[in-house]
Every structure is written in structure tokens, then in C-alpha cells.
Amino acid sequence: MGERARKHGQGRTRGGVGRETRGGATFRPFPMVELPPPGTETVLILDFGSQTAQLIARRVRESGVFSLLVSPRITADEIRRIAPKGIIFSGGPASVFEKGAPTCDPAIFNLGLPVLGICYGMQLMSHLLGGKVESANHREFGRAKIDVREHGDLFAGVDAHATVWMSHGDQVTSVPQGFEVIASTGTCPFAAVRDRARSFYGVQFHPEVTHTPQGGDMLANFLFKACGCAGSWKMADFVEQECARIRARVGDSKVICGLSGGVDSSVVAALLAKAIGKQLVCIFVDNGLLRKNERDLVETTFRDHFDVDLRVVDASREFLTDLEGIVEPQEKRRRIGHRFIDVFKEAAKSIPGDVKFLAQGTLYPDVIESGHGHAGTSANIKLHHNVGGLPEQLGFELVEPMRLLFKDEVRALGEVLGLPAQIVWRHPFPGPGLAVRVIGDITREKLDVLRECDRILLEEIVAANLYRSTSQVFAVLLPVKSVGVMGDGRTYDSTVAIRAVDTQDFMTADWSRIPYDVLALISNRIINEVKGVNRVVYDISSKPPATIEWE
């Protein structure tokens, strides 16, 4: 079963790592015809619902080959339009002989392109080409040793008894005509298969996960030996390609960018500044809920270094008035969102000239998870503020130059564009700002206390060289007071929680094992330097069941 299904004791995964199934097979359709940058060698990944589909895409890109996740419903004609170098079928939770199981256009196998099937993808390929798939007597989940029979192409440079990660209940029991076995285990005779003539490959395990130590080598062998990729895709090329596309799209019109100071909006602003110069107008809304000195950092970076037309709107009084007495987190978010749109509208009206476009820092996972796929078929997993909503209300056309990139690629793009490290590598910050880190009602006094606590926390995390090794670190002001002793007097002051997490994708996270001496220093500094705080606690809960933010 997939991780989520195992924890809740439900669902059955036969084809590999993936979303749990309830009452039949389910899978996530993704955008089918999102075109790569012109001239970019691309590998398509047909996602059959695997939780690790994005990981496959990232592994391919790490090898210098651009990748796109697409729906299994993509047609052979649409694939021809994209002109990829090869295709990968992901794993998934379904069984190929289960009613409603996801499948693909059989004409894909006649395109003359190399294909790699992973877990469910291998089973589906075998099933469609005339092989046989059955429910196995011995279900494999976890690490296994494969015996490699053929060390050419896919397993070039791989150990004879390589460790791999299995996650399947079904398996291939008879291969299609033209296929041969190139690796097996004691319970899985067809752990890896190959049709040399057509460059079709299938593996029952997951080469994309870190539990398969040489999985990256196997994927690289597929990309370079089977697909003939050069591995030449790099971020500097992306910059030039996107700048050209942006200039062609916007012409002489102006583009507005809502600048928050976060990584995504900062990088998209820097990219647009390079592409269209003074046609870009950035709007930074100071909502009174920012981190300490955040406004100064944004102004210095974009107004002075990038010479951007930056409009700063101080609406802190309006935002804090809206939040008076509000304690419910969703209501905080709702009020902040509505006020932001009102403030942004007014700021946009004051910009002279032909303003047609709004730029957003939408990323590829946002597009996928928000369900904005081909013909509206994608499942809506969660709503992202960068995907839909604002452009419709403002009447602008949308420019999203980073919508095909992952977060780590956006950071690399920021470095290529010359953004300072404190912006490129800064930790995520919630859209509602400190409003969801002050638990309970919001006041200026509470926000000031939290800013000082957060400043001290981050100073010590940076000083201990832990900032880049942790994914997110922040302070939370709790609505809890406790008795303390300072000097000879009794205190009754606030409690601050420290939250630090490690994560790959922010979908799951574990609490960071920060050394005790660093925690002690942080606690001592906060209590001694921030008036109104006499107790510091450390949050050691993981996600799930907790979330990363407290609200």
C-alpha cells in the first residue's frame, strides 16, 4: 500500500507507490499539452497516480533533461506535437485488470520512442502488448535485492546484486513477445525486462526513490543510452528562452507583479525585469504582518539593485483593523485575502499606460495540485493562491513564466538572475504572514513581540549554520501565559513555540533535530531580550498528523 493508505489502514496498492484507492482505481490526470520551451529535449512522464511521479520528474531534470508530467489520457498525436526524446510510465495504485484502471493510448507504442515502465507502468505496458499480469503469491514491499542478468544499457555500471525498493502486489508473470528478462528476485522473476529492438524497458521496483541507491544511474542510462539525450538542459538556457517568450507575449504592454518578498514572487520579478525592463511594475503591499525588516529588504533589492519600478503600499492599518478580535484562522485568511485584492486593485488603477498582464510565481506543483489541467479534467487536490482567482477579478491576462519549474529549480533560477542569497534561500512564509503565527486575536503589540522572537531565532539558526539544512524555521506566539521568575520578582508572561522542520516536498515533514546547545541559546536570548516572554517550548510534532504552520 501507499504510505497514506498504510497509516490509515485502508486502500490497496497493487501496482506500486500511489494514492489509495476506494471503490476502484483512481488516478490524477495532469496537463496534457503544456509545451516545453522551444528546442528543449524533453522526456514525458505519464502519471498513473503515483505519489512519486513528481520525484521521477525531478530525477530526470537533475540529469539535465527537461521533463513534463502529463495525463495518461494524452494521445499519440499530442505526444508528436511535444516531440519528446522518450516516455516514462509512472507507478500507481490500481491493478491493470481492475475495472476503471487507468490506461493509455496504445498508439504510443508505435511512435518509435523509448519507453520505461515503472511498477504499474511496467505492468500496464506488458498487459497492453500481450503479456500477462497476475496477483502475486508473495507481495513485495520494501528493500529487495535484484540479480542483474544483463549489464548493458539500463543496468550499465549497476551492481550485480543491486538494492531496490519494491512496492507491489501484482506482477508480470509472462512477458510480451520480443521482451527478455534482465533482472529478477527470488519472488519476482520479471523484476526488470527489455525489448531491445523497440527500446522498451520495464522495472517492477522504483528507481526514483532514495531507497534504490543506484536508481539514479538506471534512470540516467535510460535517458542517455536509450533515449539518446545530451543532458544539456540548464537554467541559463531557460532564462534566455523565457525572456524571449515573455517579450513576444507582452509586446509593448506593461506587466504588474505582486511582490511579496518570498522566493517565488522575487524570482519572477527578477526574470521579468531582465526580460522587459521598465515595462514591469511591481506592487508590494505592506500589510503590517511582515517579518522584521522585510519591507526594507524588498525595497533595497528591487528598487536599488534591479532598478525596478516598485510601488510600496502601506495598508497595515487597514489590515489590522480588519483583524481586530478575530481568532478563527480561516476567517483571518479570508479577511486578509479580501483586503489584499482591494488594496491591489487600487494600486493597479494608479499605474499609467497600457497595462494588460499580471505576473504570478506559479510553480509546477501548484498547477498539478490545483487541478488546472487539460480540458479541466484534473482533480482539484488543493487550492493555491497563485492559480486562478486574482486575474479574473482584476481583468488581466496572466503571465506565469515559472509554471513548469519545481521549487529547487526556482532557487537555481534566482541565483542565475543574481538575486541575493537571503532571498533565494529564504524559508517559506505564509501568505497571511504573522497573522497565522500569532495564535488568537491580533494586536500590534503581539506582532512586535513575535517579530523580535523570530529575529533572534533566525539569527541563531544562521549562526549555527543550520538555515540551509532546515526546510522551515519560525516562532509562534501562543495564547498561553505562565508564571516565571526574573530576578527576585514573579512574572506572568507569554509563551513562544519554536517550529523547525525537515521536508522534501512540504507534503510530509519531520521535526528538525536542532542541537540542544543551540536551542538553549535561542531560549535564553528570547527570554532575556524580548519583554513579555518568559517561556520557550520546542514543537516536536511531525506532519502528519500535525501541519507545519499552527494555523
Side-chain angles (χ1 to χ4, degrees):
M1 294 181 184
E3 182 68 22
R4 185 174 160 199
R6 293 198 310 277
K7 287 189 175 182
H8 295 279
Q10 50 187 289
R12 183 183 181 196
T13 300
R14 293 176 177 171
V17 177
R19 305 183 69 81
E20 67 203 73
T21 59
R22 297 178 183 175
T26 60
F27 69 102
R28 288 181 314 210
F30 287 134
M32 290 185 185
V33 290
E34 190 85 63
L35 295 179
T40 302
E41 61 176 17
T42 303
V43 166
L44 296 184
I45 299 156
L46 272 62
D47 182 19
F48 294 96
S50 173
Q51 289 177 351
T52 58
Q54 287 192 35
L55 187 55
I56 301 172
R58 292 168 67 93
R59 295 286 181 260
V60 171
R61 293 188 186 189
E62 286 168 2
S63 296
V65 178
F66 193 70
S67 61
L68 280 177
L69 282 165
V70 295
S71 167
R73 298 174 187 172
I74 191 170
T75 65
D77 287 339
E78 287 171 321
I79 292 176
R80 286 191 187 94
R81 179 186 173 199
I82 297 171
K85 300 285 285 186
I87 299 172
I88 298 176
F89 288 5
S90 83
S95 169
V96 295
F97 42 76
E98 191 173 87
K99 184 179 180 181
T103 186
C104 67
D105 183 353
I108 289 173
F109 299 111
N110 298 323
L111 292 174
L113 294 172
V115 178
L116 170 63
I118 296 175
C119 212
Y120 177 85
M122 170 189 177
Q123 296 165 14
L124 179 65
M125 179 167 60
S126 299
H127 176 68
L128 293 176
L129 293 176
K132 190 174 183 181
V133 179
E134 296 181 281
S135 183
N137 294 325
H138 296 87
R139 187 178 181 278
E140 288 189 290
F141 180 82
R143 285 185 176 87
K145 289 279 190 181
I146 58 170
D147 295 319
V148 178
R149 301 185 186 181
E150 169 58 56
H151 283 276
D153 45 47
L154 195 65
F155 291 125
V158 174
D159 295 343
H161 304 289
T163 299
V164 299
W165 184 262
M166 293 282 192
S167 178
H168 66 97
D170 293 353
Q171 64 182 39
V172 175
T173 56
S174 177
V175 295
Q177 185 175 359
F179 279 77
E180 60 181 322
V181 179
I182 55 175
S184 61
T185 72
T187 56
C188 184
F190 303 99
V193 298
R194 172 186 63 190
D195 182 329
R196 188 194 296 268
R198 292 183 287 182
S199 292
F200 292 168
Y201 302 85
V203 293
Q204 187 57 72
F205 53 87
H206 289 269
E208 71 274 19
V209 301
T210 56
H211 303 303
T212 302
Q214 294 181 286
D217 296 331
M218 300 171 197
L219 288 172
N221 285 336
F222 175 71
L223 297 173
F224 301 127
K225 293 181 179 298
C227 300
C229 294
S232 59
W233 186 73
K234 54 185 183 292
M235 197 51 68
D237 294 336
F238 180 86
V239 170
E240 296 306 319
Q241 291 165 345
E242 278 305 310
C243 284
R245 290 217 292 187
I246 291 167
R247 287 190 286 265
R249 170 94 188 278
V250 306
D252 296 327
S253 298
K254 287 187 175 180
V255 180
I256 296 177
C257 177
L259 189 56
S260 70
V263 177
D264 302 341
S265 68
S266 296
V267 174
V268 79
L271 180 60
L272 285 160
K274 179 177 177 64
I276 58 175
K278 288 298 184 179
Q279 290 173 243
L280 171 67
V281 180
C282 290
I283 298 175
F284 179 82
V285 177
D286 184 349
N287 56 14
L289 304 168
L290 306 174
R291 290 166 284 199
K292 193 173 181 70
N293 300 324
E294 187 157 22
R295 176 171 165 177
D296 293 340
L297 175 63
V298 170
E299 290 193 82
T300 299
T301 300
F302 287 94
R303 187 172 283 155
D304 300 341
H305 181 65
F306 283 96
D307 194 27
V308 165
D309 182 357
L310 175 64
R311 314 290 177 94
V312 176
V313 182
D314 189 343
S316 54
R317 184 178 65 179
E318 290 87 343
F319 278 92
L320 295 183
T321 298
D322 290 343
L323 292 169
E324 283 182 7
I326 304 300
V327 299
E328 207 280 317
Q330 287 303 98
E331 182 62 18
K332 288 181 185 178
R333 293 175 183 272
R334 189 189 69 81
R335 292 185 177 220
I336 291 168
H338 285 186
R339 175 61 64 178
F340 176 82
I341 290 173
D342 291 342
V343 172
F344 200 91
K345 277 182 179 178
E346 286 303 311
K349 288 178 183 177
S350 68
I351 298 172
D354 181 21
V355 183
K356 289 184 179 179
F357 298 93
L358 174 70
Q360 290 189 159
T362 308
L363 305 189
Y364 202 30
D366 299 339
V367 175
I368 294 166
E369 292 181 348
S370 296
H372 285 243
H374 178 71
T377 59
S378 294
N380 190 351
I381 298 168
K382 62 180 180 180
L383 179 64
H384 289 264
H385 69 280
N386 272 349
V387 183
L390 193 57
E392 287 82 353
Q393 297 194 43
L394 297 178
F396 295 121
E397 293 183 46
L398 198 57
V399 175
E400 297 173 302
M402 304 187 310
R403 66 183 282 115
L404 296 180
L405 299 184
F406 291 103
K407 190 76 169 187
D408 55 334
E409 294 169 331
V410 170
R411 295 190 194 277
L413 175 59
E415 290 184 323
V416 170
L417 292 167
L419 279 169
Q422 60 263 44
I423 286 183
V424 171
W425 292 100
R426 76 186 323 185
H427 289 174
F429 189 63
L434 298 181
V436 291
R437 292 180 180 174
V438 172
I439 310 302
D441 65 312
I442 308 296
T443 66
R444 287 185 184 272
E445 293 73 23
K446 289 181 179 179
L447 290 168
D448 288 340
V449 167
L450 181 57
R451 284 191 188 98
E452 288 303 315
C453 294
D454 202 58
R455 175 186 62 82
I456 292 169
L457 169 61
L458 293 178
E459 279 182 5
E460 294 303 329
I461 290 294
V462 170
N465 200 29
L466 294 172
Y467 191 80
R468 293 277 288 269
S469 62
T470 50
S471 302
Q472 195 169 358
V473 180
F474 56 92
V476 181
L477 185 63
L478 305 183
V480 176
K481 291 195 172 186
S482 63
V483 174
V485 177
M486 288 190 180
D488 295 325
R490 174 185 180 275
T491 63
Y492 189 62
D493 285 330
S494 297
T495 302
V496 167
I498 295 171
R499 181 74 159 141
V501 297
D502 301 325
T503 179
Q504 293 291 322
D505 54 14
F506 290 90
M507 302 300 290
T508 62
D510 195 12
W511 59 278
S512 304
R513 272 59 171 179
I514 294 177
Y516 290 156
D517 58 340
V518 178
L519 289 173
L521 181 57
I522 293 168
S523 177
N524 287 338
R525 281 198 61 192
I526 288 176
I527 292 172
N528 289 330
E529 297 177 30
V530 183
K531 187 177 180 181
V533 177
N534 69 354
R535 192 175 299 271
V536 175
V537 298
Y538 189 49
D539 183 347
I540 60 169
S541 49
S542 297
K543 176 188 179 182
T547 54
I548 295 176
E549 297 285 348
W550 279 49
E551 289 192 342

